Amino acid sequence: MRRTILVAGATAIAAAVLVIGIVLSRRSEERSTARTIRRASYGLSVLVLIGFWLLRPEMRPYALDIVHHTVLPVVTPALVAFAGTMLLTR
């Protein structure tokens, strides 16, 4: 139960950082500033999640398991789409 609350809390913090960054970037007048704010919020939210999963030793096996089971479903469609594009441009 405690582990679930910690994971939900870290996810909520990362999502809040992301939402705040997107809102701030939309309010910015300059495009370069908006882009910088948006990229910084993406990076900070990823760092929050990586920091949570890797700095807690009891969570490392779960993080590696999630990464292991996420890589194949993401890489397979990307490779298939790339192969289709290569066949069309050939």
Side-chain angles (χ1 to χ4, degrees):
M1 179 72 178
R2 181 172 180 236
R3 204 175 287 157
T4 304
I5 293 171
L6 289 173
V7 171
T11 305
I13 290 170
V17 167
L18 194 60
V19 168
I20 290 170
I22 290 172
V23 168
L24 288 176
S25 71
R26 295 214 179 215
R27 290 185 180 182
S28 176
E29 297 292 329
E30 296 182 27
R31 267 186 102 114
S32 62
T33 305
R35 189 179 322 126
T36 303
I37 292 171
R38 197 169 44 247
R39 287 180 181 170
S41 68
Y42 293 157
L44 188 59
S45 63
V46 167
L47 285 177
V48 165
L49 291 175
I50 289 174
F52 173 76
W53 285 101
L54 295 181
L55 291 178
R56 299 184 53 87
E58 68 271 9
M59 293 295 202
R60 285 185 192 152
Y62 297 110
L64 296 176
D65 189 51
I66 289 170
V67 169
H68 176 259
H69 287 92
T70 302
V71 169
L72 185 63
V74 169
V75 169
T76 302
L79 288 176
V80 168
F82 179 72
T85 304
M86 288 296 104
L87 283 175
L88 286 174
T89 56
R90 185 175 165 230

